[in-house]
Amino acid sequence: MHHHFFVGPLTNREALRRIKKGGTAGVDKVTASDYVIDLDQNLYNLHQRLCRGQYVATPVKRIWIEKENGKQRPIGIPAFEDKIVQKAVEMILSAIYESNFYDFSHGFRSGHSQHMAIKELRENCIRNNTNWIVSADITGLFDNIDHEHLRDFLKLRVNDGGIIRLIGKWLKAGVMEEGNYYRSDSGTPQGGLCKALHNPPYAK
């Protein structure tokens, strides 16, 4: 089944309520506190730009954080307004794809967490008398996501050119790091809400 949907003002307002208000500002230096000063007007202007196709995705601000093994991991910080629209789209896509999730899939789902995954893993190990656990990861997964492949997956369920174009804008927005701009031909910055689109159930 294909789905059409519309990112309206009420959806954006609910998205604003759900996203974290603190943290580092994006490249536009606009914080949550700045945005809510004239909230109604800002949301109205955002809605108008979305309706007219004039919404422009801002490059993501890249910072680096240290991992436990001493290496560094890049984190992308979207502009605050981009966070609102991305969260609105995530809310709608989650409603469409929720039925596709496996019971043991806890990533990027409302009401789920890594602690639930660990608890389930521990209980299954005890129940099945498991002696070995293999931990595997895909090197550079989010850095090498094929944009066209991701959009093709989404089109299997989402027959809405507007939302596909929005996602394309975020994927192609590029990255700013220490004043330098880098194009995004593949991958997506970790830390942005667009990352949630790459969870396996979206690919069904």
Side-chain angles (χ1 to χ4, degrees):
M1 178 185 297
H2 285 88
H3 295 265
H4 295 267
F5 54 86
F6 176 68
V7 181
L10 293 179
T11 308
N12 286 330
R13 188 175 291 274
E14 176 61 18
L16 173 64
R17 188 186 70 80
R18 295 190 188 187
I19 63 177
K20 295 180 179 179
K21 306 301 190 297
T24 307
V27 297
D28 61 354
K29 300 181 180 179
V30 175
T31 65
S33 300
D34 297 328
Y35 199 84
V36 300
I37 290 175
D38 196 5
L39 179 59
D40 289 339
Q41 187 62 48
N42 286 334
L43 288 178
Y44 173 79
N45 291 340
L46 173 60
H47 173 61
Q48 291 298 307
R49 278 181 277 125
L50 287 168
C51 289
R52 296 169 182 167
Q54 297 173 335
Y55 167 82
V56 177
T58 306
V60 172
K61 178 180 179 180
R62 179 189 290 161
I63 62 173
W64 295 81
I65 62 173
E66 189 167 331
K67 299 170 64 174
E68 293 180 358
N69 59 8
K71 295 182 180 180
Q72 289 190 318
R73 179 164 66 100
I75 294 294
I77 303 174
F80 187 73
E81 194 168 73
D82 289 337
K83 288 182 182 180
I84 295 174
V85 186
Q86 287 181 13
K87 186 63 177 180
V89 170
E90 180 198 331
M91 287 161 48
I92 297 170
L93 291 181
S94 292
I96 294 173
Y97 287 99
E98 178 63 26
S99 62
N100 290 84
F101 282 90
Y102 296 110
D103 292 339
F104 56 77
S105 181
H106 297 288
F108 305 106
R109 294 178 70 188
S110 177
H112 292 255
S113 68
Q114 66 269 35
H115 300 292
M116 294 175 66
I118 293 172
K119 180 176 182 290
E120 184 174 342
L121 178 62
R122 182 175 62 248
E123 291 175 348
N124 283 331
C125 286
I126 295 173
R127 184 183 306 111
N128 299 315
N129 194 28
T130 301
N131 296 314
W132 291 89
I133 296 177
V134 178
S135 177
D137 195 8
I138 301 176
T139 302
L141 170 63
F142 294 105
D143 297 329
N144 297 288
I145 289 289
D146 185 284
H147 293 174
E148 201 61 39
H149 196 48
L150 175 61
R151 285 195 289 264
D152 287 342
F153 272 136
L154 288 169
K155 288 176 183 177
L156 295 176
R157 295 286 297 277
V158 180
N159 188 23
D160 190 301
I163 199 62
I164 299 300
R165 284 191 293 273
L166 273 178
I167 293 171
K169 288 181 179 182
W170 296 326
L171 293 173
K172 298 294 186 183
V175 173
M176 290 290 294
E177 182 179 353
E178 297 182 348
N180 297 313
Y181 173 77
Y182 301 92
R183 289 184 54 186
S184 302
D185 295 319
S186 64
T188 183
Q190 295 192 55
L193 290 168
C194 224
K195 175 182 173 182
L197 299 176
H198 307 138
N199 210 30
Y202 288 106
K204 292 189 174 185

